[in-house]
C-alpha cells in the first residue's frame, strides 16, 4: 500500500536550532563545558537520556528564568528552517517538534515558525530561578511513545510520517517512521536512518520530502490504459544514499565490555544487508587495499544508480505530462461528442416541428377547398399548354378550349377563406423557420464531429509517446534497482572489511600491551640485579638510580 506523507517530525536541538539549548543556558551559569561533555556522551549513546538530562539540569540551579527568555529570542535558527516549515505547511503537511529540550526555548519558536505540535520538557522554577529539576513526558518516555500517541490522535499511520533527528534519543522515533532522516547526526543515528544529510541546511530536507512524496504518488486516472504508475518508482531511499563509507570503521568496532546502553543498541532493528560470502585478506595492508577498492566501487555504483534514477524521474515526469495532455484532449473530444449529440438532438426536435407544421398545412388545404382550387388551376395550365404546343384538328382544339373555359368558370365560383389563408401563411413561415434551424444545427453537429475526430487522432500520437516514455522509465527503474542491489552487496563487503580492520587494531593493542608488560618485567629484573651489586659496594650511575626509583626497589 502506498502511503503519502502527512506528518513531519523534527528534533529541536541541532535540527531546528543551530546548537544545543541547554548549552546556551549553561553559559549563563558558567557550566557550559561540563554540560557539553555530558551531552556528547548522550548523543553518542554512551549515557541514557534520563540520567543525562537530570545531571545537566542540576548544573543549572539558580539561573534566572528572565535571562533564559532573553537568550531564547537570540538563539540561532538552522539554515532553511523557516522556508522548509513554511513550504511544508503550505503543501498541507502537519509539523511537530518532539524534543528533550525545554519549553522556555521551544515555545517562542513554535509561534514564530507556526509549528502544529510541540512536545518538550519543563524546567522547574521557583521565584524566578531554576531549581535544578526537570519534568515532562520526555524525561522518562522515548520519543517513539510520544510520536505513537500523536499519530493515534491525528488518525495517521507511522508510514505517513517523516522523522528528522541527530542524536541517540532520536533513534526510537527514526526506527518506526515511514522515512527517517539523520541530520548532521552521530554514527549510531546514521546506522538506523533511511537517509543521511551531512549539510547543516534544512532546505535539503525539504527537497528530499518533496522528491519522496512525488515518487510515492499514484496517478488518479490512467487514460492510456496500458500505462501504469508503479508504487516504488525509485530505489534511492531504501538505503543510506548519502552514506560516507569512510566513517564506517568507527561504527562497527567490537567491544567485549558492552554497557547496558550498548546491549540495548544491539537489539535495535537493523536493515539487513545481503550475505555475500566475501572473505577479506589476512594482511593489514591488503585489507586496506580492499577497502579502498570497494569504496571506489561503491561510489561508481552510486553514481550509476543516481543516473538511472535521474532518467527514471525525467521519463516519469514526461510520461505523466503526456498522460495529462492525453486526458485533456480526451476530455475535449468527449465534450465535442456531447455537443454534437446535443446538436443532433436539436436537429431531430426541429425536424419534428417542421413535419408537424407541414402536416397542418396539408390538412388546412384539404379542409378549405384550397386543394381543389390548386388542382383545377393545374388542369387549366395543362390544357393551355397542349393547345399552344400541339397541332390539333379544329374539333379537338375546340373541345379543349371549351373544357378550359368550363374549368375557369368553376374556379371563379370558389372563394378562399381569408382567415384560413392567414393561418396557412403563418404555418408556412413557421415551417421555413424550423427548416433553417435544422440546417444551422446540422452544420454545427458536423463541425463538432470533425473536431472530435481530429482530437481522437491526436490521442493516438500522444499515447504512443506516453508508452515510449513509460518503457524508458521502467528500463531506467530496473537499471537503478539492479545497481542498488550491487550497492548493497559492496556495502556489505565494506562492513566485513571494517570489522577485519577493527580486529587488526585490537590485535595491535594486545601486542602492544604484551610487549610493554614483557619490557617492564625485564627492566625490573635488571633493576634487581643493579641493587644486588649496590649492596656489594658497586657504585650507581644516574640512569641506574632512576631505574631503581621507577620500580621502587631499595
Amino acid at each position: 500500500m502506498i502511503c503519502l506523507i502527512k506528518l513531519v517530525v523534527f528534533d529541536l536541538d541541532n535540527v531546528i536550532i543551530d546548537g544545543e539549548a541547554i548549552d546556551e543556558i549553561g553559559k549563563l551559569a558558567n557550566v557550559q563545558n561540563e554540560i557539553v561533555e555530558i551531552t556528547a556522551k548522550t548523543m553518542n549513546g554512551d549515557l541514557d537520556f534520563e540520567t543525562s538530562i537530570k545531571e545537566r539540569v542540576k548544573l543549572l540551579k539558580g539561573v534566572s528564568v528572565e535571562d533564559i527568555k532573553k537568550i531564547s529570542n537570540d538563539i540561532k535558527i538552522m539554515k532553511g528552517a523557516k522556508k522548509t516549515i513554511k513550504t511544508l505547511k503550505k503543501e498541507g503537511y502537519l509539523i511537530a517538534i518532539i524534543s528533550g529540550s525545554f519549553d522556555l526555548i521551544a515555545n517562542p519558536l513554535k509561534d514564530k515558525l507556526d509549528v502544529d505540535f510541540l512536545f518538550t520538557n519543563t524546567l522547574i522554577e521557583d521565584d524566578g530561578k531554576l531549581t535544578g529539576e526537570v519534568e515532562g513526558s520526555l524525561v522518562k518516555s522515548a520519543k517513539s511513545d510520544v510520536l505513537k500517541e500523536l499519530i493515534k490522535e491525528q488518525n495517521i499511520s507511522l508510514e505517513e510520517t517523516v522523522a528528522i533527528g541527530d542524536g541517540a534519543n532520536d533513534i526510537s522515533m527514526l526506527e518506526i517512521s515511514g522515512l527517517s532522516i539523520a541530520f548532521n547526526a552521530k554514527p549510531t543515528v546514521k546506522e538506523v536512518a533511511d537517509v543521511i544529510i551531512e549539510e547543516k541546511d534544512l532546505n535539503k530536507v525539504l527537497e528530499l520530502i518533496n522528491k519522496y512524496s512525488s515518487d510515492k504518488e499514484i496517478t488518479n486516472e490512467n487514460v492510456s490504459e496500458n500505462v501504469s504508475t508503479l508504487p516504488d518508482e525509485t530505489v534511492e531511499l531504501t538505503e543510506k544514499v548519502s552514506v560516507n563509507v569512510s566513517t564506517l570503521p568507527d561504527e562497527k568496532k567490537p567491544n567485549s565490555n558492552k554497557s547496558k546502553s550498548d546491549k540495548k543498541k544491539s537489539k535495535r532493528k537493523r536493515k539487513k544487508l545481503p550475505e555475500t560470502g566475501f572473505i577479506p585478506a589476512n594482511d593489514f595492508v591488503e585489507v586496506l587495499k580492499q577497502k579502498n577498492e570497494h569504496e571506489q566501487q561503491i561510489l561508481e555504483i552510486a553514481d550509476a544508480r543516481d543516473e538511472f534514477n535521474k532518467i527514471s524521474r525525467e521519463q516519469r515526469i514526461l510520461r505523466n505530462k503526456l498522460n495529462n495532455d492525453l486526458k485533456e484532449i480526451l476530455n475535449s473530444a468527449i465534450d465535442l461528442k456531447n455537443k454534437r449529440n446535443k446538436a443532433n438532438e436539436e436537429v431531430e426536435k426541429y425536424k419534428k416541428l417542421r413535419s408537424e407544421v407541414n402536416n397542418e398545412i396539408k390538412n388546412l388545404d384539404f379542409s378549405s377547398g384550397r386543394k381543389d382550387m390548386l388542382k383545377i388551376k393545374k388542369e387549366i395550365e395543362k390544357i393551355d399548354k397542349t393547345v399552344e404546343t400541339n397541332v390539333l384538328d379544329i374539333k379537338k382544339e375546340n373541345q379543349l378550349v371549351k373544357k378550359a373555359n368550363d374549368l375557369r368558370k368553376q374556379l371563379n365560383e370558389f372563394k378562399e377563406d381569408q382567415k384560413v389563408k392567414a393561418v396557412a401563411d403563418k404555418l408556412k413561415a413557421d415551417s421555413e423557420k424550423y427548416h433553417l434551424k435544422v440546417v444551422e444545427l446540422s452544420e454545427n453537429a458536423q463541425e463538432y464531429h470533425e473536431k472530435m475526430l481530429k482530437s481522437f487522432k491526436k490521442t493516438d500520437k500522444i499515447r504512443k509517446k506516453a508508452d515510449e516514455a513509460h518503457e524508458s522509465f521502467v528500463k531506467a527503474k530496473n537499471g537503478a534497482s539492479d545497481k542498488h542491489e550491487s550497492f548493497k552487496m559492496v556495502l556489505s563487503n565494506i562492513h566485513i572489511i571494517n570489522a577485519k580492520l577493527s580486529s587488526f587494531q585490537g590485535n595491535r593493542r594486545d601486542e602492544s600491551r604484551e610487549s610493554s608488560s614483557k619490557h617492564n618485567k625485564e627492566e625490573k629484573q635488571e633493576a634487581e640485579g643493579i641493587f644486588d651489586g649496590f649492596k656489594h659496594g658497586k657504585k650507581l650511575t644516574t640512569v641506574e638510580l632512576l631505574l631503581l626509583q621507577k620500580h621502587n626497589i631499595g
Side-chain angles (χ1 to χ4, degrees):
M1 181 178 71
I2 304 304
C3 296
L4 298 179
I5 297 302
K6 294 181 181 177
L7 172 67
V8 182
V9 183
F10 295 88
D11 183 21
L12 181 68
D13 296 332
N14 293 311
V15 178
I16 293 295
I17 62 174
D18 190 2
E20 289 275 344
I22 197 167
D23 293 349
E24 298 303 313
I25 300 173
K27 291 176 183 178
L28 298 174
N30 295 319
V31 292
Q32 63 267 35
N33 293 335
E34 293 92 325
I35 287 175
V36 167
E37 185 178 342
I38 298 171
T39 300
K41 290 180 181 178
T42 309
M43 297 298 282
N44 286 318
D46 297 327
L47 186 65
D48 70 88
F49 184 76
E50 183 181 354
T51 302
S52 164
I53 194 169
K54 288 181 177 179
E55 287 185 6
R56 286 179 289 172
V57 171
K58 280 182 184 177
L59 298 171
L60 303 178
K61 185 177 181 179
V63 173
S64 166
V65 172
E66 285 302 315
D67 289 343
I68 297 173
K69 289 179 179 179
K70 288 178 184 177
I71 66 169
S72 70
N73 294 323
D74 300 328
I75 203 157
K76 185 179 178 183
I77 296 176
M78 185 65 70
K79 179 182 177 182
K82 291 181 180 178
K83 178 186 174 183
T84 296
I85 292 176
K86 183 179 180 180
T87 305
L88 291 174
K89 290 274 292 179
K90 187 177 180 181
E91 293 176 0
Y93 297 97
L94 293 173
I95 306 298
I97 293 176
I98 300 179
S99 173
S101 194
F102 312 110
D103 53 359
L104 286 172
I105 299 293
N107 283 339
L109 288 173
K110 179 181 184 293
D111 297 332
K112 185 184 294 185
L113 300 175
D114 192 24
V115 173
D116 297 296
F117 309 102
L118 175 65
F119 302 91
T120 57
N121 291 316
T122 300
L123 294 170
I124 306 299
E125 59 180 277
D126 183 29
D127 196 23
K129 304 284 186 181
L130 297 186
T131 65
E133 298 169 300
V134 61
E135 64 181 10
S137 58
L138 285 158
V139 174
K140 294 184 178 181
S141 298
K143 290 190 177 184
S144 59
D145 297 330
V146 176
L147 176 56
K148 287 176 183 177
E149 189 65 29
L150 174 59
I151 65 169
K152 183 179 178 181
E153 291 174 359
Q154 298 300 316
N155 195 26
I156 296 172
S157 68
L158 287 168
E159 290 77 14
E160 294 170 322
T161 63
V162 175
I164 302 110
D166 71 310
N169 65 325
D170 295 311
I171 289 175
S172 66
M173 72 173 181
L174 293 176
E175 286 180 329
I176 64 173
S177 296
L179 174 64
S180 56
I181 301 173
F183 184 79
N184 294 290
K186 301 299 182 287
T188 51
V189 181
K190 293 178 183 179
E191 286 183 26
V192 301
D194 294 309
V195 184
I196 297 170
I197 294 177
E198 297 289 5
E199 296 179 57
K200 296 181 79 173
D201 184 358
L202 283 176
N203 288 312
K204 301 297 180 183
V205 171
L206 178 60
E207 293 169 9
L208 180 65
I209 292 174
N210 285 337
K211 175 174 164 298
Y212 181 78
S213 295
S214 65
D215 288 339
K216 292 293 182 183
E217 286 177 357
I218 302 175
T219 304
N220 291 331
E221 183 177 354
N222 191 341
V223 293
S224 63
E225 295 181 357
N226 62 335
V227 180
S228 60
T229 303
L230 302 181
D232 52 342
E233 295 185 341
T234 63
V235 295
E236 297 170 282
L237 301 177
T238 58
E239 187 67 39
K240 305 177 182 101
V241 294
S242 58
V243 64
N244 182 352
V245 292
S246 64
T247 65
L248 292 172
D250 293 334
E251 298 175 19
K252 294 293 183 180
K253 290 180 182 179
N255 185 355
S256 58
N257 299 317
K258 287 187 176 181
S259 66
K260 289 182 180 180
S261 175
D262 293 328
K263 290 177 182 178
K264 286 181 182 178
K265 283 187 283 182
S266 67
K267 294 179 182 179
R268 289 178 191 138
K269 179 178 65 178
R270 292 286 186 268
K271 293 170 185 175
K272 292 184 178 179
L273 292 172
E275 295 182 6
T276 64
F278 175 76
I279 300 175
N282 288 319
D283 179 72
F284 181 76
V285 175
E286 286 300 316
V287 175
L288 280 178
K289 183 179 177 183
Q290 287 177 328
K291 176 180 171 63
N292 292 334
E293 289 172 352
H294 276 74
E295 288 183 350
Q296 181 60 37
Q297 188 179 357
I298 204 169
L299 290 174
E300 292 172 357
I301 292 171
D303 288 342
R305 181 191 63 187
D306 291 345
E307 183 61 27
F308 277 123
N309 278 325
K310 178 185 175 184
I311 296 170
S312 173
R313 285 193 298 273
E314 289 172 349
Q315 292 303 310
R316 174 173 53 80
I317 291 168
L318 175 60
R319 180 202 64 194
N320 290 348
K321 180 183 181 301
L322 289 168
N323 278 341
N324 287 334
D325 292 346
L326 184 60
K327 183 178 178 182
E328 288 178 7
I329 294 173
L330 282 173
N331 287 338
S332 175
I334 291 169
D335 183 54
L336 288 167
K337 179 182 176 182
N338 292 335
K339 287 179 178 179
R340 181 202 65 183
N341 291 345
K342 187 175 180 181
N344 283 333
E345 288 174 5
E346 291 290 299
V347 167
E348 292 303 316
K349 170 187 167 184
Y350 283 104
K351 277 184 178 181
K352 184 178 179 181
L353 289 171
R354 183 184 64 184
S355 178
E356 289 173 354
V357 169
N358 287 339
N359 287 334
E360 286 186 49
I361 292 171
K362 289 178 183 178
N363 292 334
L364 190 63
D365 286 344
F366 181 79
S367 62
S368 65
R370 182 179 177 80
K371 187 175 182 181
D372 292 335
M373 289 172 64
L374 294 173
K375 186 176 180 181
I376 291 171
K377 282 182 179 180
K378 285 181 180 179
E379 185 66 22
I380 293 170
E381 289 172 0
K382 183 179 179 183
I383 292 170
D384 288 343
K385 187 175 182 181
T386 301
V387 172
E388 290 173 4
T389 59
N390 294 304
V391 179
L392 303 171
D393 59 57
I394 293 297
K395 185 179 179 181
K396 180 69 175 176
E397 184 177 343
N398 289 336
Q399 287 176 347
L400 289 173
V401 170
K402 183 180 183 300
K403 185 178 180 180
N405 289 333
D406 290 341
L407 288 171
R408 285 187 178 94
K409 288 177 183 180
Q410 188 180 346
L411 184 61
N412 289 332
E413 291 175 0
F414 280 103
K415 288 184 179 179
E416 187 175 3
D417 189 333
Q418 292 301 315
K419 290 183 179 180
V420 173
K421 184 178 182 300
V423 172
D425 290 342
K426 183 181 183 305
L427 288 173
K428 285 180 181 178
D430 287 344
S431 177
E432 181 63 22
K433 181 178 68 175
Y434 294 147
H435 176 71
L436 292 174
K437 202 69 178 174
V438 167
V439 173
E440 178 191 348
L441 291 168
S442 296
E443 290 175 352
N444 290 345
Q446 184 62 28
E447 183 181 351
Y448 292 142
H449 181 70
E450 290 172 359
K451 287 183 178 178
M452 179 192 73
L453 292 178
K454 287 181 180 178
S455 294
F456 279 124
K457 286 181 181 178
K458 280 185 181 179
T459 61
D460 292 337
K461 293 180 181 179
I462 294 175
R463 181 179 285 110
K464 183 180 178 182
K465 290 181 180 179
D467 289 347
E468 290 172 353
H470 180 68
E471 289 174 6
S472 299
F473 158 73
V474 172
K475 184 177 179 181
K477 176 184 171 297
N478 290 337
S481 182
D482 291 341
K483 288 297 180 183
H484 186 64
E485 291 304 313
S486 300
F487 180 97
K488 291 194 290 186
M489 296 286 284
V490 176
L491 185 60
S492 179
N493 291 348
I494 289 175
H495 285 188
I496 294 170
I497 290 170
N498 287 334
K500 186 70 175 180
L501 288 173
S502 295
S503 70
F504 279 127
Q505 293 170 357
N507 291 339
R508 285 200 301 273
R509 283 194 295 270
D510 292 341
E511 289 171 1
S512 176
R513 283 194 294 268
E514 185 178 340
S515 175
S516 177
S517 176
K518 183 178 179 181
H519 179 70
N520 285 339
K521 186 176 181 181
E522 290 174 351
E523 257 192 359
K524 187 174 182 180
Q525 289 176 348
E526 182 183 355
E528 288 173 346
I530 291 171
F531 185 67
D532 286 339
F534 173 71
K535 287 192 293 184
H536 290 87
K538 183 182 176 182
K539 292 184 178 180
L540 300 179
T541 65
T542 303
V543 172
E544 289 174 335
L545 182 60
L546 291 173
L547 189 61
L548 292 176
Q549 290 175 346
K550 177 181 177 181
H551 292 281
N552 199 26
I553 296 175

